[in-house]
Short mmCIF file of all heavy atoms in Angstrom, two decimals:
data_model
loop_
_atom_site.label_atom_id
_atom_site.label_comp_id
_atom_site.label_asym_id
_atom_site.label_seq_id
_atom_site.Cartn_x
_atom_site.Cartn_y
_atom_site.Cartn_z
N MET A 270 10.75 17.60 -13.71
CA MET A 270 9.70 16.70 -14.17
C MET A 270 9.29 15.77 -13.03
O MET A 270 10.12 15.24 -12.31
CB MET A 270 10.22 15.87 -15.35
CG MET A 270 9.11 15.16 -16.10
SD MET A 270 9.77 14.13 -17.45
CE MET A 270 9.91 12.58 -16.59
N THR A 271 7.98 15.61 -12.83
CA THR A 271 7.53 14.68 -11.79
C THR A 271 6.94 13.43 -12.45
O THR A 271 6.31 13.50 -13.50
CB THR A 271 6.45 15.30 -10.89
OG1 THR A 271 5.42 15.80 -11.72
CG2 THR A 271 7.02 16.41 -10.03
N THR A 272 7.19 12.30 -11.83
CA THR A 272 6.67 11.05 -12.35
C THR A 272 5.65 10.50 -11.36
O THR A 272 5.94 10.38 -10.18
CB THR A 272 7.81 10.01 -12.50
OG1 THR A 272 8.87 10.64 -13.19
CG2 THR A 272 7.34 8.80 -13.27
N SER A 273 4.44 10.22 -11.84
CA SER A 273 3.42 9.65 -10.96
C SER A 273 3.59 8.15 -10.89
O SER A 273 3.64 7.47 -11.91
CB SER A 273 2.03 9.95 -11.50
OG SER A 273 1.72 11.28 -11.28
N LEU A 274 3.70 7.67 -9.66
CA LEU A 274 3.81 6.23 -9.45
C LEU A 274 2.57 5.76 -8.71
O LEU A 274 1.91 6.53 -8.03
CB LEU A 274 5.01 5.92 -8.56
CG LEU A 274 6.39 5.93 -9.18
CD1 LEU A 274 7.41 5.53 -8.12
CD2 LEU A 274 6.48 4.97 -10.35
N HIS A 275 2.30 4.49 -8.84
CA HIS A 275 1.30 3.89 -7.96
C HIS A 275 1.91 3.92 -6.56
O HIS A 275 3.14 3.93 -6.40
CB HIS A 275 1.04 2.44 -8.37
CG HIS A 275 0.70 2.28 -9.82
ND1 HIS A 275 -0.40 2.84 -10.39
CD2 HIS A 275 1.36 1.61 -10.80
CE1 HIS A 275 -0.43 2.53 -11.67
NE2 HIS A 275 0.63 1.79 -11.95
N ARG A 276 1.04 3.93 -5.56
CA ARG A 276 1.53 4.03 -4.19
C ARG A 276 1.00 2.86 -3.38
O ARG A 276 -0.19 2.56 -3.41
CB ARG A 276 1.06 5.35 -3.60
CG ARG A 276 1.54 5.59 -2.19
CD ARG A 276 1.11 6.96 -1.73
NE ARG A 276 1.78 8.01 -2.50
CZ ARG A 276 1.34 9.25 -2.59
NH1 ARG A 276 0.23 9.62 -1.99
NH2 ARG A 276 2.00 10.14 -3.29
N LEU A 277 1.90 2.18 -2.67
CA LEU A 277 1.49 1.04 -1.84
C LEU A 277 1.79 1.34 -0.37
O LEU A 277 2.94 1.51 0.01
CB LEU A 277 2.24 -0.23 -2.27
CG LEU A 277 1.92 -1.50 -1.49
CD1 LEU A 277 0.46 -1.92 -1.68
CD2 LEU A 277 2.85 -2.64 -1.89
N TYR A 278 0.72 1.43 0.42
CA TYR A 278 0.87 1.56 1.87
C TYR A 278 1.04 0.15 2.41
O TYR A 278 0.22 -0.74 2.14
CB TYR A 278 -0.35 2.23 2.49
CG TYR A 278 -0.52 3.67 2.08
CD1 TYR A 278 -1.32 4.01 0.99
CD2 TYR A 278 0.13 4.69 2.77
CE1 TYR A 278 -1.47 5.34 0.61
CE2 TYR A 278 -0.02 6.03 2.39
CZ TYR A 278 -0.81 6.33 1.31
OH TYR A 278 -0.96 7.65 0.93
N SER A 279 2.08 -0.05 3.19
CA SER A 279 2.47 -1.40 3.54
C SER A 279 2.99 -1.44 4.98
O SER A 279 3.23 -0.40 5.60
CB SER A 279 3.56 -1.84 2.56
OG SER A 279 4.02 -3.13 2.84
N PHE A 280 3.12 -2.64 5.48
CA PHE A 280 3.77 -2.84 6.78
C PHE A 280 4.63 -4.09 6.62
O PHE A 280 4.12 -5.15 6.22
CB PHE A 280 2.74 -3.00 7.89
CG PHE A 280 3.34 -3.29 9.24
CD1 PHE A 280 4.15 -2.36 9.87
CD2 PHE A 280 3.10 -4.50 9.87
CE1 PHE A 280 4.71 -2.63 11.12
CE2 PHE A 280 3.65 -4.78 11.12
CZ PHE A 280 4.46 -3.84 11.74
N ARG A 281 5.90 -3.94 6.93
CA ARG A 281 6.88 -4.97 6.61
C ARG A 281 6.49 -6.38 7.05
O ARG A 281 6.59 -7.33 6.29
CB ARG A 281 8.22 -4.56 7.25
CG ARG A 281 9.39 -5.31 6.70
CD ARG A 281 10.72 -4.74 7.19
NE ARG A 281 11.80 -5.50 6.62
CZ ARG A 281 12.22 -5.36 5.37
NH1 ARG A 281 11.66 -4.49 4.58
NH2 ARG A 281 13.20 -6.12 4.91
N ARG A 282 6.01 -6.50 8.29
CA ARG A 282 5.76 -7.85 8.83
C ARG A 282 4.34 -8.36 8.59
O ARG A 282 3.99 -9.44 9.04
CB ARG A 282 6.07 -7.86 10.33
CG ARG A 282 7.53 -7.61 10.66
CD ARG A 282 7.87 -8.01 12.08
NE ARG A 282 6.99 -7.41 13.06
CZ ARG A 282 7.17 -6.22 13.62
NH1 ARG A 282 8.22 -5.50 13.29
NH2 ARG A 282 6.32 -5.73 14.50
N CYS A 283 3.52 -7.60 7.92
CA CYS A 283 2.13 -8.02 7.68
C CYS A 283 2.07 -8.99 6.49
O CYS A 283 2.51 -8.67 5.39
CB CYS A 283 1.27 -6.80 7.37
SG CYS A 283 -0.38 -7.22 6.77
N PRO A 284 1.51 -10.20 6.70
CA PRO A 284 1.46 -11.19 5.62
C PRO A 284 0.62 -10.72 4.43
O PRO A 284 0.93 -11.06 3.28
CB PRO A 284 0.83 -12.43 6.27
CG PRO A 284 0.18 -11.94 7.52
CD PRO A 284 0.94 -10.72 7.96
N TYR A 285 -0.42 -9.93 4.71
CA TYR A 285 -1.25 -9.42 3.60
C TYR A 285 -0.46 -8.41 2.78
O TYR A 285 -0.54 -8.38 1.55
CB TYR A 285 -2.52 -8.77 4.15
CG TYR A 285 -3.29 -9.67 5.09
CD1 TYR A 285 -3.23 -9.49 6.48
CD2 TYR A 285 -4.06 -10.72 4.60
CE1 TYR A 285 -3.92 -10.32 7.34
CE2 TYR A 285 -4.75 -11.56 5.45
CZ TYR A 285 -4.68 -11.35 6.82
OH TYR A 285 -5.37 -12.17 7.67
N ALA A 286 0.30 -7.58 3.49
CA ALA A 286 1.12 -6.60 2.79
C ALA A 286 2.25 -7.29 2.01
O ALA A 286 2.60 -6.86 0.91
CB ALA A 286 1.70 -5.59 3.78
N MET A 287 2.77 -8.40 2.59
CA MET A 287 3.79 -9.17 1.86
C MET A 287 3.20 -9.69 0.55
O MET A 287 3.83 -9.63 -0.50
CB MET A 287 4.26 -10.37 2.69
CG MET A 287 5.14 -9.99 3.86
SD MET A 287 5.51 -11.48 4.84
CE MET A 287 6.09 -10.72 6.35
N ARG A 288 1.96 -10.18 0.63
CA ARG A 288 1.29 -10.69 -0.57
C ARG A 288 1.15 -9.57 -1.61
O ARG A 288 1.39 -9.78 -2.80
CB ARG A 288 -0.07 -11.25 -0.19
CG ARG A 288 -0.89 -11.71 -1.36
CD ARG A 288 -1.92 -12.72 -0.99
NE ARG A 288 -2.93 -12.21 -0.07
CZ ARG A 288 -3.90 -12.97 0.42
NH1 ARG A 288 -3.96 -14.25 0.08
NH2 ARG A 288 -4.78 -12.48 1.25
N ALA A 289 0.78 -8.39 -1.13
CA ALA A 289 0.63 -7.26 -2.06
C ALA A 289 1.97 -6.88 -2.68
O ALA A 289 2.05 -6.60 -3.88
CB ALA A 289 0.03 -6.07 -1.32
N ARG A 290 3.04 -6.89 -1.86
CA ARG A 290 4.36 -6.52 -2.41
C ARG A 290 4.79 -7.55 -3.44
O ARG A 290 5.35 -7.20 -4.49
CB ARG A 290 5.39 -6.38 -1.29
CG ARG A 290 5.13 -5.18 -0.37
CD ARG A 290 6.37 -4.78 0.43
NE ARG A 290 6.89 -5.84 1.25
CZ ARG A 290 6.48 -6.14 2.49
NH1 ARG A 290 5.52 -5.43 3.04
NH2 ARG A 290 7.01 -7.12 3.17
N LEU A 291 4.54 -8.84 -3.14
CA LEU A 291 4.87 -9.88 -4.12
C LEU A 291 4.06 -9.69 -5.40
O LEU A 291 4.58 -9.85 -6.51
CB LEU A 291 4.60 -11.27 -3.53
CG LEU A 291 5.65 -11.79 -2.56
CD1 LEU A 291 5.18 -13.11 -1.92
CD2 LEU A 291 6.98 -12.02 -3.28
N GLY A 292 2.79 -9.36 -5.22
CA GLY A 292 1.91 -9.15 -6.38
C GLY A 292 2.43 -8.04 -7.28
O GLY A 292 2.47 -8.19 -8.50
N THR A 293 2.86 -6.95 -6.66
CA THR A 293 3.38 -5.84 -7.48
C THR A 293 4.68 -6.25 -8.17
O THR A 293 4.95 -5.86 -9.30
CB THR A 293 3.59 -4.56 -6.65
OG1 THR A 293 4.51 -4.82 -5.60
CG2 THR A 293 2.29 -4.05 -6.09
N LEU A 294 5.48 -7.07 -7.45
CA LEU A 294 6.73 -7.55 -8.06
C LEU A 294 6.45 -8.43 -9.27
O LEU A 294 7.01 -8.24 -10.35
CB LEU A 294 7.53 -8.38 -7.04
CG LEU A 294 8.55 -7.66 -6.18
CD1 LEU A 294 9.17 -8.64 -5.19
CD2 LEU A 294 9.64 -7.04 -7.05
N PHE A 295 5.56 -9.43 -9.08
CA PHE A 295 5.24 -10.35 -10.18
C PHE A 295 4.61 -9.61 -11.35
O PHE A 295 4.80 -9.97 -12.52
CB PHE A 295 4.34 -11.48 -9.71
CG PHE A 295 5.03 -12.48 -8.83
CD1 PHE A 295 4.39 -12.98 -7.69
CD2 PHE A 295 6.31 -12.94 -9.11
CE1 PHE A 295 5.02 -13.90 -6.86
CE2 PHE A 295 6.95 -13.85 -8.28
CZ PHE A 295 6.31 -14.33 -7.16
N ALA A 296 3.81 -8.58 -11.04
CA ALA A 296 3.15 -7.80 -12.10
C ALA A 296 4.09 -6.76 -12.70
O ALA A 296 3.71 -6.05 -13.63
CB ALA A 296 1.91 -7.12 -11.54
N GLU A 297 5.31 -6.68 -12.15
CA GLU A 297 6.30 -5.70 -12.58
C GLU A 297 5.73 -4.28 -12.53
O GLU A 297 5.93 -3.47 -13.43
CB GLU A 297 6.84 -6.04 -13.97
CG GLU A 297 7.57 -7.38 -13.98
CD GLU A 297 8.12 -7.75 -15.35
OE1 GLU A 297 7.98 -6.96 -16.30
OE2 GLU A 297 8.70 -8.85 -15.46
N LEU A 298 4.98 -4.05 -11.45
CA LEU A 298 4.35 -2.76 -11.23
C LEU A 298 5.28 -1.94 -10.34
O LEU A 298 5.62 -2.36 -9.24
CB LEU A 298 3.02 -2.99 -10.52
CG LEU A 298 1.98 -1.90 -10.53
CD1 LEU A 298 1.46 -1.68 -11.94
CD2 LEU A 298 0.80 -2.32 -9.62
N LYS A 299 5.69 -0.81 -10.86
CA LYS A 299 6.59 0.05 -10.09
C LYS A 299 5.76 0.87 -9.11
O LYS A 299 4.85 1.60 -9.52
CB LYS A 299 7.36 0.96 -11.04
CG LYS A 299 8.66 1.44 -10.49
CD LYS A 299 9.46 2.13 -11.56
CE LYS A 299 10.66 2.80 -10.93
NZ LYS A 299 11.35 3.67 -11.87
N VAL A 300 6.03 0.71 -7.84
CA VAL A 300 5.24 1.44 -6.85
C VAL A 300 6.15 2.24 -5.92
O VAL A 300 7.30 1.90 -5.70
CB VAL A 300 4.38 0.48 -5.97
CG1 VAL A 300 3.37 -0.27 -6.80
CG2 VAL A 300 5.25 -0.47 -5.15
N GLU A 301 5.56 3.30 -5.39
CA GLU A 301 6.20 4.03 -4.30
C GLU A 301 5.75 3.33 -3.03
O GLU A 301 4.55 3.24 -2.76
CB GLU A 301 5.72 5.49 -4.34
CG GLU A 301 6.21 6.32 -3.18
CD GLU A 301 5.39 7.60 -3.05
OE1 GLU A 301 4.89 8.13 -4.07
OE2 GLU A 301 5.25 8.06 -1.92
N LEU A 302 6.69 2.79 -2.28
CA LEU A 302 6.34 2.03 -1.08
C LEU A 302 6.30 2.97 0.12
O LEU A 302 7.28 3.64 0.43
CB LEU A 302 7.39 0.93 -0.86
CG LEU A 302 7.03 -0.15 0.13
CD1 LEU A 302 5.81 -0.93 -0.32
CD2 LEU A 302 8.21 -1.10 0.33
N ARG A 303 5.16 3.02 0.77
CA ARG A 303 5.02 3.83 1.99
C ARG A 303 4.88 2.89 3.17
O ARG A 303 3.84 2.24 3.35
CB ARG A 303 3.75 4.71 1.91
CG ARG A 303 3.84 5.81 0.90
CD ARG A 303 4.25 7.11 1.57
NE ARG A 303 4.46 8.14 0.57
CZ ARG A 303 3.68 9.20 0.42
NH1 ARG A 303 2.63 9.37 1.19
NH2 ARG A 303 3.94 10.09 -0.51
N GLU A 304 5.93 2.80 3.95
CA GLU A 304 5.92 1.95 5.14
C GLU A 304 5.11 2.66 6.24
O GLU A 304 5.37 3.82 6.55
CB GLU A 304 7.37 1.69 5.58
CG GLU A 304 7.56 0.72 6.70
CD GLU A 304 7.17 -0.72 6.36
OE1 GLU A 304 7.03 -1.07 5.17
OE2 GLU A 304 7.00 -1.50 7.31
N VAL A 305 4.12 1.94 6.77
CA VAL A 305 3.19 2.55 7.72
C VAL A 305 3.49 2.05 9.13
O VAL A 305 3.82 0.89 9.34
CB VAL A 305 1.74 2.16 7.32
CG1 VAL A 305 0.74 2.47 8.41
CG2 VAL A 305 1.34 2.85 6.02
N ILE A 306 3.36 2.96 10.10
CA ILE A 306 3.38 2.55 11.51
C ILE A 306 1.92 2.35 11.90
O ILE A 306 1.13 3.30 11.87
CB ILE A 306 4.06 3.63 12.38
CG1 ILE A 306 5.51 3.79 11.95
CG2 ILE A 306 3.96 3.28 13.86
CD1 ILE A 306 6.18 5.03 12.48
N LEU A 307 1.55 1.10 12.22
CA LEU A 307 0.13 0.79 12.40
C LEU A 307 -0.50 1.61 13.53
O LEU A 307 -1.70 1.89 13.49
CB LEU A 307 -0.07 -0.70 12.64
CG LEU A 307 0.23 -1.60 11.42
CD1 LEU A 307 0.04 -3.07 11.78
CD2 LEU A 307 -0.64 -1.24 10.22
N LYS A 308 0.29 1.98 14.53
CA LYS A 308 -0.25 2.78 15.64
C LYS A 308 -0.38 4.26 15.27
O LYS A 308 -0.90 5.04 16.04
CB LYS A 308 0.67 2.66 16.86
CG LYS A 308 0.54 1.32 17.56
CD LYS A 308 1.41 1.28 18.81
CE LYS A 308 1.37 -0.12 19.41
NZ LYS A 308 2.53 -0.36 20.28
N ASN A 309 0.14 4.61 14.13
CA ASN A 309 0.11 6.02 13.71
C ASN A 309 -0.06 6.08 12.18
O ASN A 309 0.86 6.45 11.46
CB ASN A 309 1.42 6.69 14.15
CG ASN A 309 1.42 8.17 13.87
OD1 ASN A 309 0.36 8.77 13.68
ND2 ASN A 309 2.59 8.77 13.83
N LYS A 310 -1.26 5.68 11.76
CA LYS A 310 -1.49 5.57 10.31
C LYS A 310 -1.58 6.96 9.68
O LYS A 310 -2.17 7.87 10.26
CB LYS A 310 -2.79 4.81 10.06
CG LYS A 310 -2.69 3.36 10.50
CD LYS A 310 -4.03 2.70 10.60
CE LYS A 310 -3.84 1.34 11.26
NZ LYS A 310 -5.03 0.88 11.95
N PRO A 311 -1.01 7.09 8.50
CA PRO A 311 -1.03 8.41 7.86
C PRO A 311 -2.44 8.83 7.45
O PRO A 311 -3.22 8.01 6.96
CB PRO A 311 -0.13 8.23 6.64
CG PRO A 311 0.02 6.78 6.44
CD PRO A 311 -0.29 6.09 7.72
N ALA A 312 -2.75 10.10 7.66
CA ALA A 312 -4.07 10.64 7.32
C ALA A 312 -4.38 10.43 5.84
O ALA A 312 -5.52 10.16 5.46
CB ALA A 312 -4.12 12.12 7.68
N GLN A 313 -3.34 10.53 5.02
CA GLN A 313 -3.51 10.34 3.57
C GLN A 313 -4.06 8.95 3.26
O GLN A 313 -4.89 8.77 2.37
CB GLN A 313 -2.13 10.47 2.91
CG GLN A 313 -1.97 11.65 2.01
CD GLN A 313 -0.59 11.65 1.37
OE1 GLN A 313 0.37 11.03 1.87
NE2 GLN A 313 -0.47 12.35 0.27
N MET A 314 -3.57 7.95 4.01
CA MET A 314 -4.05 6.58 3.80
C MET A 314 -5.48 6.42 4.30
O MET A 314 -6.33 5.84 3.62
CB MET A 314 -3.12 5.58 4.51
CG MET A 314 -3.49 4.13 4.26
SD MET A 314 -2.57 2.98 5.28
CE MET A 314 -3.82 2.50 6.46
N LEU A 315 -5.76 6.97 5.49
CA LEU A 315 -7.10 6.84 6.06
C LEU A 315 -8.13 7.58 5.22
O LEU A 315 -9.30 7.17 5.16
CB LEU A 315 -7.11 7.36 7.51
CG LEU A 315 -6.30 6.50 8.48
CD1 LEU A 315 -6.23 7.18 9.85
CD2 LEU A 315 -6.88 5.10 8.61
N ALA A 316 -7.70 8.63 4.53
CA ALA A 316 -8.63 9.38 3.68
C ALA A 316 -9.11 8.53 2.50
O ALA A 316 -10.27 8.62 2.09
CB ALA A 316 -7.95 10.66 3.17
N ILE A 317 -8.23 7.67 2.00
CA ILE A 317 -8.64 6.85 0.84
C ILE A 317 -9.14 5.48 1.28
O ILE A 317 -9.80 4.79 0.52
CB ILE A 317 -7.47 6.69 -0.18
CG1 ILE A 317 -6.24 6.05 0.48
CG2 ILE A 317 -7.14 8.02 -0.83
CD1 ILE A 317 -5.20 5.57 -0.53
N SER A 318 -8.82 5.08 2.52
CA SER A 318 -9.24 3.77 3.00
C SER A 318 -9.51 3.85 4.51
O SER A 318 -8.65 3.49 5.33
CB SER A 318 -8.14 2.73 2.70
OG SER A 318 -8.55 1.46 3.15
N PRO A 319 -10.71 4.31 4.88
CA PRO A 319 -11.03 4.56 6.29
C PRO A 319 -10.98 3.31 7.17
O PRO A 319 -10.88 3.43 8.38
CB PRO A 319 -12.45 5.14 6.24
CG PRO A 319 -12.64 5.62 4.84
CD PRO A 319 -11.80 4.73 3.98
N LYS A 320 -11.04 2.11 6.58
CA LYS A 320 -11.01 0.92 7.45
C LYS A 320 -9.65 0.73 8.10
O LYS A 320 -9.51 0.02 9.09
CB LYS A 320 -11.49 -0.33 6.71
CG LYS A 320 -10.53 -0.94 5.72
CD LYS A 320 -11.21 -2.10 4.99
CE LYS A 320 -10.35 -2.68 3.89
NZ LYS A 320 -9.48 -3.76 4.34
N GLY A 321 -8.64 1.36 7.56
CA GLY A 321 -7.36 1.45 8.26
C GLY A 321 -6.53 0.19 8.32
O GLY A 321 -5.78 -0.01 9.28
N THR A 322 -6.66 -0.67 7.31
CA THR A 322 -5.76 -1.83 7.27
C THR A 322 -4.80 -1.68 6.08
O THR A 322 -5.11 -0.99 5.11
CB THR A 322 -6.54 -3.15 7.12
OG1 THR A 322 -7.27 -3.16 5.91
CG2 THR A 322 -7.48 -3.37 8.30
N VAL A 323 -3.66 -2.34 6.22
CA VAL A 323 -2.72 -2.43 5.10
C VAL A 323 -2.79 -3.86 4.55
O VAL A 323 -3.09 -4.78 5.31
CB VAL A 323 -1.28 -2.08 5.55
CG1 VAL A 323 -1.17 -0.63 5.89
CG2 VAL A 323 -0.79 -2.96 6.69
N PRO A 324 -2.50 -4.06 3.32
CA PRO A 324 -2.02 -3.09 2.34
C PRO A 324 -3.15 -2.26 1.73
O PRO A 324 -4.30 -2.69 1.69
CB PRO A 324 -1.41 -3.99 1.28
CG PRO A 324 -2.28 -5.21 1.29
CD PRO A 324 -2.61 -5.42 2.74
N VAL A 325 -2.76 -1.08 1.25
CA VAL A 325 -3.64 -0.27 0.40
C VAL A 325 -2.81 0.14 -0.81
O VAL A 325 -1.72 0.70 -0.66
CB VAL A 325 -4.13 1.00 1.13
CG1 VAL A 325 -5.00 1.84 0.20
CG2 VAL A 325 -4.90 0.66 2.39
N LEU A 326 -3.36 -0.16 -1.97
CA LEU A 326 -2.70 0.24 -3.21
C LEU A 326 -3.52 1.34 -3.86
O LEU A 326 -4.72 1.16 -4.09
CB LEU A 326 -2.58 -0.97 -4.16
CG LEU A 326 -1.97 -0.71 -5.53
CD1 LEU A 326 -0.52 -0.24 -5.43
CD2 LEU A 326 -2.05 -1.97 -6.41
N GLN A 327 -2.87 2.46 -4.09
CA GLN A 327 -3.54 3.56 -4.81
C GLN A 327 -2.87 3.71 -6.17
O GLN A 327 -1.68 4.03 -6.25
CB GLN A 327 -3.43 4.86 -4.01
CG GLN A 327 -4.17 6.01 -4.68
CD GLN A 327 -4.12 7.29 -3.86
OE1 GLN A 327 -3.17 7.53 -3.15
NE2 GLN A 327 -5.16 8.09 -3.97
N LEU A 328 -3.64 3.41 -7.20
CA LEU A 328 -3.10 3.55 -8.55
C LEU A 328 -3.03 5.03 -8.92
O LEU A 328 -3.75 5.85 -8.34
CB LEU A 328 -3.98 2.80 -9.55
CG LEU A 328 -4.18 1.31 -9.26
CD1 LEU A 328 -5.07 0.67 -10.33
CD2 LEU A 328 -2.86 0.57 -9.19
N PHE A 329 -2.17 5.37 -9.85
CA PHE A 329 -2.01 6.80 -10.13
C PHE A 329 -3.24 7.44 -10.74
O PHE A 329 -3.40 8.65 -10.71
CB PHE A 329 -0.73 7.12 -10.92
CG PHE A 329 -0.66 6.56 -12.32
CD1 PHE A 329 -1.47 7.07 -13.33
CD2 PHE A 329 0.23 5.57 -12.63
CE1 PHE A 329 -1.40 6.57 -14.63
CE2 PHE A 329 0.31 5.05 -13.92
CZ PHE A 329 -0.52 5.54 -14.91
N ASP A 330 -4.20 6.60 -11.23
CA ASP A 330 -5.46 7.17 -11.72
C ASP A 330 -6.46 7.39 -10.58
O ASP A 330 -7.59 7.80 -10.80
CB ASP A 330 -6.07 6.29 -12.82
CG ASP A 330 -6.62 4.96 -12.29
OD1 ASP A 330 -6.53 4.71 -11.07
OD2 ASP A 330 -7.13 4.17 -13.09
N GLY A 331 -6.03 7.08 -9.35
CA GLY A 331 -6.88 7.31 -8.18
C GLY A 331 -7.60 6.07 -7.67
O GLY A 331 -8.11 6.06 -6.56
N THR A 332 -7.61 5.00 -8.47
CA THR A 332 -8.26 3.76 -8.03
C THR A 332 -7.60 3.25 -6.75
O THR A 332 -6.37 3.23 -6.64
CB THR A 332 -8.12 2.68 -9.13
OG1 THR A 332 -8.63 3.20 -10.35
CG2 THR A 332 -8.86 1.40 -8.76
N VAL A 333 -8.44 2.83 -5.80
CA VAL A 333 -7.91 2.31 -4.54
C VAL A 333 -8.27 0.83 -4.40
O VAL A 333 -9.42 0.45 -4.56
CB VAL A 333 -8.50 3.11 -3.35
CG1 VAL A 333 -8.07 2.48 -2.02
CG2 VAL A 333 -8.07 4.56 -3.41
N ILE A 334 -7.26 0.03 -4.11
CA ILE A 334 -7.47 -1.41 -3.85
C ILE A 334 -7.04 -1.63 -2.40
O ILE A 334 -5.87 -1.44 -2.05
CB ILE A 334 -6.64 -2.28 -4.83
CG1 ILE A 334 -7.04 -1.96 -6.26
CG2 ILE A 334 -6.85 -3.77 -4.53
CD1 ILE A 334 -6.14 -2.60 -7.32
N GLU A 335 -8.01 -2.01 -1.55
CA GLU A 335 -7.71 -2.08 -0.11
C GLU A 335 -7.84 -3.48 0.45
O GLU A 335 -7.95 -3.65 1.66
CB GLU A 335 -8.58 -1.08 0.65
CG GLU A 335 -10.06 -1.26 0.40
CD GLU A 335 -10.93 -0.21 1.09
OE1 GLU A 335 -10.41 0.62 1.87
OE2 GLU A 335 -12.15 -0.26 0.85
N GLU A 336 -7.81 -4.48 -0.41
CA GLU A 336 -7.81 -5.87 0.02
C GLU A 336 -6.66 -6.57 -0.69
O GLU A 336 -6.51 -6.43 -1.91
CB GLU A 336 -9.13 -6.56 -0.35
CG GLU A 336 -10.30 -6.23 0.55
CD GLU A 336 -10.14 -6.78 1.97
OE1 GLU A 336 -9.58 -7.89 2.13
OE2 GLU A 336 -10.58 -6.11 2.91
N SER A 337 -5.89 -7.36 0.06
CA SER A 337 -4.75 -8.03 -0.58
C SER A 337 -5.21 -9.13 -1.53
O SER A 337 -4.52 -9.52 -2.43
CB SER A 337 -3.81 -8.61 0.45
OG SER A 337 -4.43 -9.64 1.19
N1 LIG B 466 -8.47 -8.44 4.53
C1 LIG B 466 -7.31 -7.56 4.58
C2 LIG B 466 -6.60 -7.79 5.87
C3 LIG B 466 -5.47 -6.80 6.11
C4 LIG B 466 -5.08 -6.72 7.57
O1 LIG B 466 -5.79 -7.22 8.47
N2 LIG B 466 -3.91 -6.10 7.84
C5 LIG B 466 -3.53 -5.87 9.20
C6 LIG B 466 -2.01 -6.00 9.38
S1 LIG B 466 -1.41 -7.64 9.03
C7 LIG B 466 -3.88 -4.45 9.59
O2 LIG B 466 -3.68 -3.53 8.82
N3 LIG B 466 -4.39 -4.25 10.81
C8 LIG B 466 -4.75 -2.94 11.28
C9 LIG B 466 -4.14 -2.58 12.58
O3 LIG B 466 -3.38 -3.40 13.15
O4 LIG B 466 -4.36 -1.46 13.05
C10 LIG B 466 -6.42 -7.84 3.37
O5 LIG B 466 -6.40 -8.99 2.88
O6 LIG B 466 -5.77 -6.92 2.87
#
């Protein structure tokens, strides 16, 4: 059985990503955390958010939130 989770592209030391991680914690939103190397951003992330900044939250229904 596979479980679909929301997915959060993040970078540990980024204050915006910290805000997003806190937001998901306070909202008790279970997310799959994808730690990104900013110099080598994953194609999957750039496909849904071409501006290439973190955080990016992709909800399991496909909705993309790309601003903290
Ligand atoms: N307005 C954006 C700003 C996000 C942002 O600037 N994040 C930085 C890291 S702290 C980033 O991804 N920079 C892209 C890069 O360094 O390539 C937000 O609030 O989410």
